[in-house]
Amino acid sequence: MDTLAKLQQLGDAWADRPSLIDQARQEHITWTAIADALHMTRQGVVKLHATLDSKEPQS
């Protein structure tokens, strides 16, 4: 796989973060475990999740 294809694959997977974070929380996975898996800080993951939640349309 060439470098550009690897970057594309990484970008596609990165776009799935919001739904995967939601799924992990529904499975009672801790913020710390999610942060470790994403190589982020706990605060960063919580802030990302809050920011993404606020952008979703409310029903």
Side-chain angles (χ1 to χ4, degrees):
M1 181 182 293
D2 71 348
T3 303
L4 189 56
K6 288 179 184 178
L7 288 170
Q8 181 68 46
Q9 185 179 34
L10 181 61
D12 292 344
W14 196 249
D16 292 336
R17 286 181 310 162
S19 62
L20 290 172
I21 291 170
D22 282 337
Q23 182 179 345
R25 292 300 296 156
Q26 289 172 8
E27 295 175 11
H28 306 289
I29 298 172
T30 66
W31 289 114
T32 302
I34 295 167
D36 288 345
L38 291 173
H39 304 288
M40 295 176 67
T41 64
R42 180 188 179 282
Q43 295 88 343
V45 172
V46 171
K47 184 175 180 178
L48 172 65
H49 187 260
T51 301
L52 295 172
D53 272 352
S54 69
K55 289 182 181 178
E56 289 183 4
Q58 301 297 318
S59 48

